[in-house]
Amino acid sequence: MPIAKFAIQRLLQAVFVVFVVTIFVAFAIRLTGDPAIMLVQESSNVTEADLERIRAAMGLNKPFLVQYKDFILGFFNGDMGTSFFRGPVSNLVAVALPATLALAVASMVVSMLISIPLGIRAALHKGGLSDQIIRIGSLVGLSFPNFWLGLMLMMVFSIKIPIFNSSGYEGPASIVLPAVTIGIILTATNVRLVRTAMLETLGAQYIMVARSKGLRERIVVYKHALRNSAITIVTYMGLQFGNLVGGLVVVEMVFNWPGMGSLALDAIYQRDYPVLQASITLLALMIVAVNFTVDLVYGLLDPRIRVE
Amino acid sequence: MSLSEENIILPEAAKKKRSLAKYWSFELLFGAFLTCSLGVLVLCSGLLFPDGGEAIDLRARLMEPFVSWQHILGTDSLGRDILARVITGGKISYLVGVASTLGALVLGTLVGLVAGYYRGFWDVLLMRFADIQLALPFILLAITVMAIAGPGLDRVIGLMIISQWVQYARLVRSGVLSLREREFVQAARSYGLPDAKIIFGHILPNTLGPIIILMTLNVANNILLESSLTFLGLGVDPQIPSWGGMLADGRNYVQVAWWIMVFPGLAIMLTVLGLNLMGDWLRDHLDPLGQTAK
């Protein structure tokens, strides 16, 4: 299949997924009840006419599909609706999205710093003691909940030994604990990906050539093998983006990190449905976009993927 | 693996060492030990702790662990015994892990068998459905659904079945696709066996290996997911003792009482580690082609 056709096919798939997800979220949120009543539940002297006015103002008296269309058009024009309590949703997102992206990038960096050296070591000593230890370590890493690791780190490094603050954003150092938490969780999977990718590269003939030229092992491994595995490693890591977002949502809540996960969870606790709808839609869009990009890169690099 | 390694004729001693290394199964033994011993403890929790960890003792609030025989792992903010609650709380985790996996297994296997054996319309529908589900991260689905439906054990299990049956369906389908053209299936068909007998008697047993691996890993994963959801207040009822619920409670006392948070977390870790160790070993030995690789 030519790459253009493959790209168009995957793009259509991505658009379809976005459509299904957004319509599901919009529909599910309408199921929970009348937002107009939720909005005024505090005040007692509200007449039916008042409710009608609120519904008209929020666009709730229109048919569902029209509301959906309005939401989507507004969403892509930067108007994400209005929170019940906190003003325009786009203002909230403008604060939360950079915070989440910063945490996501920092976690990826932490994870690469740990998983690349360990993965290389495991690949070089395949079947040996360090390989076994790394393998068991990675299994242990897959075996505890991310939020528990976060709480443990918080307990040790901000309560017993007060190096970092335990919650919220108080300067750049605040990112360390949440980023290390997610980074360690990602490492458990990434270290295996690095190991597999390196084993594949190290078996190639040009590595044998490089070795037979008498190059130092260090140069063979880092300059020849790692560089050639890099694209595979990055692509595999990209495929885990959905995983990463899942980790972000929970860990942000543990550390009160002011990102998209906290925004969505707070919206649930306060029944602030415009915020919930906008934040879930945005997170789903991000995941679909990353998956699409990774798919495309993958298809470009490995033509076998395109056959189906 | 280097090519040369396969071609060398190994001397007897080396061969022996290699085969021992091949079946070296500390992983399996340790994993099975963890899973069985924790499983027995949790199953017997009713006998060991008849009060179900609910007995409140306000005079013994926030008691430290390892100081009293009565409360070896300490007590929580209401003076309830942590050990009793950890072991009783395991019931929820095991129930969710096992029930959701079995539900997803049954649903997914049926769909996969039908799609793979009959192909055509059902097959196309299944694969499109699978694409959508793979693009939808569980946590977002869970947040939306639980925000609307409210917390509850049945909803957590239902949600996991809905989000995981596709994995089994795909696995079974691909197994069936490769098996249905094999000679023994053709032979069974030429004998005039009914479809149901061919599917359940000849095809299904041959796809069992990957399914067992997936099940082991899914039980482990679902225990983690349930604890996350309950921790966020989106899982099972916070009144019932559960590991996620205990951790959510412990979070409020993180400054003063580390033990409320440490022990339920350790319980989750040991349970899941046991299952992961077994799943990993099974993957190496039952699935050399890596069909269940993540």
Side-chain angles (χ1 to χ4, degrees), chain A residues 189-201:
Chain A
T189 320
N190 285 347
V191 80
R192 293 186 159 202
L193 299 180
V194 174
R195 178 181 179 274
T196 315
M198 284 299 285
L199 277 178
E200 218 165 88
T201 320

Side-chain angles (χ1 to χ4, degrees), chain B residues 147-160:
Chain B
I148 290 148
L153 185 62
D154 48 342
R155 276 154 247 174
V156 173
I157 295 174
L159 193 64
M160 286 176 182

Side-chain angles (χ1 to χ4, degrees), chain A residues 17-126:
Chain A
V17 170
V18 169
F19 172 72
V20 172
V21 172
T22 49
I23 208 155
F24 168 72
V25 171
F27 183 70
I29 282 172
R30 297 294 183 289
L31 278 184
T32 49
D34 187 347
I37 293 176
M38 286 178 216
L39 183 59
V40 297
Q41 57 196 341
E42 307 292 299
S43 39
S44 49
N45 50 349
V46 183
T47 63
E48 188 54 36
D50 291 335
L51 283 178
E52 230 13 85
R53 267 209 308 284
I54 295 172
R55 286 189 193 115
M58 293 170 79
L60 293 169
N61 47 2
K62 295 179 199 160
F64 171 69
L65 282 177
V66 177
Q67 286 184 42
Y68 173 74
K69 191 196 81 188
D70 289 348
F71 171 75
I72 291 295
L73 286 180
F75 189 88
F76 286 106
N77 284 317
D79 169 22
M80 303 185 179
T82 310
S83 156
F84 286 169
F85 315 102
R86 301 196 279 168
V89 180
S90 44
N91 292 357
L92 300 173
V93 168
V95 178
L97 190 56
T100 287
L101 291 179
L103 185 53
V105 171
S107 319
M108 294 279 246
V109 171
V110 170
S111 165
M112 284 184 175
L113 285 179
I114 311 174
S115 60
I116 290 177
L118 287 185
I120 291 176
R121 196 177 163 83
L124 288 175
H125 299 84
K126 182 171 178 271

Side-chain angles (χ1 to χ4, degrees), chain B residues 100-116:
Chain B
S100 57
T101 303
L102 285 180
L105 168 78
V106 171
L107 186 62
T109 305
L110 285 178
V111 177
L113 284 173
V114 171

Side-chain angles (χ1 to χ4, degrees), chain B residues 255-272:
Chain B
Q255 309 263 4
V256 287
W258 54 268
W259 53 92
I260 304 182
M261 236 173 44
V262 168
F263 296 118
L266 279 179
I268 298 176
M269 191 177 105
L270 293 177
T271 308
V272 176

Side-chain angles (χ1 to χ4, degrees), chain A residues 259-274:
Chain A
M260 294 297 298
S262 298
L263 193 64
L265 284 172
D266 285 343
I268 290 183
Y269 301 141
Q270 301 175 343
R271 315 229 149 239
D272 193 350
Y273 289 105

